[in-house]
Amino acid sequence: MNDKGYKLVQGNEACVEGALAAGMRFYAGYPITPSTEIAEICSQKLPKLGGKFIQMEDELASMAAIIGASLAGVKSMTATSGPGFSLMQENIGYAAIAEIPCVIVNVQRGGPSTGLPTSPAQGDVMQARWGTHGDHPAIALTPNSVQETFEYTVKAFNLAEKYRTPVILLMDETVGHMREKMTFKNISQIEIVNRKKPSCKPEDYVAYRPDEDMIPPMASFGEGYRYHVTGLTHDETGFPTNSSHVSEGLIRRIVDKVEKNIDNFSYYEEYRLEDAEIVIIAYGGVSRSAKSAVDELRKQNIKAGLFRPITIWPFLEKQIYMVSQAAKEIYVAEMNLGQYSLEVERVACKNCRVKKINKVNGELITPEEITEAIGGSYEL
Amino acid sequence: MNCSETTSKYYRVNRLPHIWCAGCGHGTLTNTVVRAIDKLKLNKDEVVIVSGIGCSSRAPGYLDFNTLHTTHGRALAFATGIKLANPKLHVIVIMGDGDSSAIGGNHLIHAARRNIDITTIVFNNNIYGMTGGQFSPTTPYGDLATTAAYGNIDKPFDLCSLAQGAGATYVGRATAYHAVLMQKLIEKGIQNKGFSFIEGLSICPTYYGRKNKKGNAFKMHSFLKENCIDKKLVDKDPDKGRNKILIGEFYNNPQPEYIESYQVIIDMFQG
């Protein structure tokens, strides 16, 4: 660290620093490129803080272990990439229905299957939303720099704790492996959120009875509140039920507690949007190219701007709709064959054309590719 | 302590009656777990019972501890997270034969290999009961099941040998008939600082028994009574073990425990 408080840090390293700052003291994972540094650094740092690291037998087990640790009261995390993310889907659904806070980091690489292990991609956007079966809430955040990786890892924990739900930090290989300067100087002022605990006596505790905010207070195992947790559809007591009425209520509540609060965690960046007629929507590593492309297009007198969602799930419907009202054309640039763009098309107003800039060859979309795609098709 | 006192102290009486079929061995086995916990005078607030999916895995719901009914096969992985996060807790895992050795087989061998201080109890009824009687990794060769219409050609696991081979430091087997022995093995398993594996042979009169013409629950219990023999007796006279199922304590060999080993690393950094 230099005397101005800056340090050269890798994205994956910043993720660990953010997690530790948020209070993460349990990590379970399985080695996989390009996320492995997260596990390696956790294995070095956690015991020094009295925390625990365990390398599990696979990603199914890693996900299960972090849920168990969180139930025992410890903030927990795992990190993986596409193939492991697929295996984690089973217990991500468990964490969603049993309402266990935890953070899952997915440093995306090329897929499907083993795909391109060392190359960036953004092919897991829809999987982050719909990867596990059944209707469920989803929160996913997408940083585009090392500094942001730190900050949004903290936010991922805060959201997991606040809403009692798994939160996905959707990185990509570009962001995970880049190194840039990062400041730690405001670290002590970071807001840390901890899960809401029951204030009643154990005999009065009804484990899944929500407060007005739709979120039930959570006791840790071992604190004297003996209760039951299941992945089956359950009533307020936590025990399984086949009641159609109760089942409907549970699923709607766990989805609503997230979606109806979206205004509290709608993170995004707007760049040169004031008079923009052409809006590029990009996130993660690609958004850095998109920003350069905006500057280049402006030099060519094309009124371009960037809208960059950081909260990628739930979808920022309100903001994207506003953007589409002001723009003539939206270009969604992403390292997949069009995933986020499907949602943009869904909400964009009808007189705004939505076009796609896609790439799935394991290379980052360049600023030139964006300016060419836009310059070639945009009529002044 | 008589049965009703045990029931009111350790069962969530308002969750009864249980879902198991008439004659199922799982109720008896569940009671052996409860009696072992009672004998050891464990604090209920510090006991966690974790299960997977299947008939056996409904047991924790009836018990007044911290209880976690997880996904199919993954109970030991959840339990590993709980135990590491709070080593003060007594973590007991109840699984079925398919749960522990088919879908959860990988988690079983790795939890055993680590010798993490978890007591694993498998209710082995040789069948997938919850889904209607498909063959499991412990269905005997040649037996019938709804997915083995012409006889099972898979060879069965010996679960105790599997666990011991993988690194469990306490291993034993009893049955739903041999409830007193089962309770003792569970007590010793809980006391073992490390990974303990206790197999409880159960019976499934509804699916396995009916499909294979094993008779009613009484006859199936009688089979366990007549065909099991304690390893201690066989050690003295190997002839007695011929064509019998071995029960009793098979292995008791304490080794360094996983979380204690981790604590040594943590302690290196504490001043």
Side-chain angles (χ1 to χ4, degrees), chain B residues 73 95-106 108 120 122 159 162 197:
Chain B
M95 296 188 285
D97 37 309
D99 197 32
S100 64
S101 69
I103 192 165
N106 199 34
L108 172 63
T120 295
V122 174
L159 297 181
L162 177 69
F197 183 88

Side-chain angles (χ1 to χ4, degrees), chain B residues 112-117 164 167-171 188-196 249-258 260-261:
Chain B
R113 176 177 64 84
R114 290 184 195 108
N115 194 33
I116 187 166
D117 187 16
Q164 187 179 330
T169 47
Y170 186 85
V171 180
K188 291 188 79 173
I190 292 171
Q191 286 171 305
N192 173 45
K193 189 87 184 160
F195 189 82
S196 305
E249 183 179 282
F250 295 166
Y251 191 65
N252 184 358
N253 183 20
Q255 297 283 325
E257 194 269 336
Y258 184 79
E260 286 183 341
S261 302

Side-chain angles (χ1 to χ4, degrees), chain B residues 89-271:
Chain B
L89 299 172
H90 301 280
V91 180
I92 297 168
V93 173
I94 296 175
M95 296 188 285
D97 37 309
D99 197 32
S100 64
S101 69
I103 192 165
N106 199 34
H107 309 308
L108 172 63
I109 58 174
H110 287 279
R113 176 177 64 84
R114 290 184 195 108
N115 194 33
I116 187 166
D117 187 16
I118 291 172
T119 304
T120 295
I121 301 157
V122 174
F123 294 1
N124 178 5
N125 59 3
N126 312 103
I127 206 84
Y128 286 92
M130 187 73 86
T131 46
Q134 298 76 32
F135 71 91
S136 85
T138 64
T139 302
Y141 186 84
D143 277 3
L144 297 172
T146 55
T147 48
Y150 311 107
N152 175 30
I153 59 167
D154 282 27
K155 287 177 196 153
F157 264 138
D158 176 337
L159 297 181
C160 287
S161 300
L162 177 69
Q164 187 179 330
T169 47
Y170 186 85
V171 180
R173 179 192 291 136
T175 81
Y177 177 82
H178 302 87
V180 175
L181 174 63
M182 187 72 193
Q183 181 190 329
K184 277 187 189 147
L185 295 177
I186 295 170
E187 284 169 26
K188 291 188 79 173
I190 292 171
Q191 286 171 305
N192 173 45
K193 189 87 184 160
F195 189 82
S196 305
F197 183 88
I198 295 112
E199 179 182 8
L201 299 180
S202 188
I203 60 162
C204 176
T206 303
Y207 290 111
Y208 176 76
R210 197 165 50 169
K211 197 87 183 169
N212 291 289
K213 298 191 167 45
K214 298 288 184 189
N216 61 19
F218 177 78
K219 280 196 174 158
M220 291 183 78
H221 275 108
S222 300
F223 175 87
L224 293 176
K225 178 188 174 188
E226 286 153 18
N227 289 280
C228 294
I229 184 163
D230 199 300
K231 182 177 176 293
K232 279 186 284 193
L233 299 175
V234 178
D235 286 345
K236 285 180 199 150
D237 181 0
D239 278 353
K240 284 191 174 163
R242 201 160 291 148
N243 298 322
K244 297 281 188 189
I245 300 165
L246 283 188
I247 55 174
E249 183 179 282
F250 295 166
Y251 191 65
N252 184 358
N253 183 20
Q255 297 283 325
E257 194 269 336
Y258 184 79
I259 297 171
E260 286 183 341
S261 302
Y262 197 96
Q263 191 60 43
V264 172
I265 299 172
I266 291 178
D267 291 344
M268 273 170 25
F269 299 105
Q270 308 301 314

